[in-house]
Structure formats: structure tokens, C-alpha cells
Amino acid sequence: MRLVAIGIVAGVFSAFFGVGGGVIAVPLLVLVAGLPERAATATSLGAIAITATAGVVVFSFRGEVEPWYAALVGIPAAFGAIGGTTLQQRIHTSTLTYGFAALLVAIGVWLLAT
């Protein structure tokens, strides 16, 4: 039940604020579901793949997908994900946790400053 609630919260925040589901899902998976940082990240990415697929299908039926732009962003992002995953496996878990928290704080400060 906790995982369903995390999914709903991540989906609502993603749609409401336009933030990636992982920004919400990863902390909740760690804090509420008790998953380790790496497992939470991987689980979030799996969930985002399902959500993204559903979104692409719906938007495709409406003729709103720009395949060229999607490829131009998606292909390099896939390579970035492979590189990021490789790097993440070499970094200590506490460093990941503090780094992620610092990123969220920095984004929050930046948003408040603009």
C-alpha cells in the first residue's frame, strides 16, 4: 500500500509541478518504503518508464509528439543514463544521499531567487 501511495504522490507532483517523478519518488522510497538509495533510484526509473510510455501513447493519439525532438533529447539522455548509472555504482551511498539532498536544496533556492 505504501508503494501505491508513493506512486500516486509522485504522479500528482509530476503533473502538478512538472517535476520528474524521481524527485519525489526516490526520497519517499528511501524514507517511507525503506529501500536503499540505489534500489530506490532503479525502482523510480522503472516506474518512470511505465509513466512515460503511457504519456507518449496518449500524446501520440493527439498528434502532439515530435519524434525528431524526442530522439534528439532521448538518445543522448540514454547514454547519459548509462554513464550516470556506472558512476553511481562507484560512489558511496551516503555521498549519493547528501548530493541528492544538496541538489534539491539548490534547485529550491534557485527557484525562490528567480
Side-chain angles (χ1 to χ4, degrees), residues 1-78:
M1 192 65 189
R2 287 182 186 175
L3 295 178
V4 172
I6 290 169
I8 290 170
V9 170
V12 168
F13 275 84
S14 293
F16 198 70
F17 294 115
V19 297
V23 171
I24 301 301
V26 171
L28 290 177
L29 287 168
V30 170
L31 297 172
V32 176
L35 267 67
E37 183 84 26
R38 288 188 175 93
T41 302
T43 301
S44 174
L45 288 171
I48 290 167
I50 295 167
T51 306
T53 300
V56 167
V57 168
V58 172
F59 280 113
S60 291
F61 282 126
R62 297 173 58 163
E64 296 174 340
V65 175
E66 297 287 343
W68 172 246
Y69 291 150
L72 202 56
V73 172
I75 293 170

Side-chain angles (χ1 to χ4, degrees), residues 38 41 79-93 95-96:
R38 288 188 175 93
T41 302
F79 285 105
I82 292 167
T85 301
T86 302
L87 180 61
Q88 188 224 40
Q89 298 301 309
R90 296 173 184 203
I91 295 175
H92 195 273
T93 306
T95 303
L96 290 173

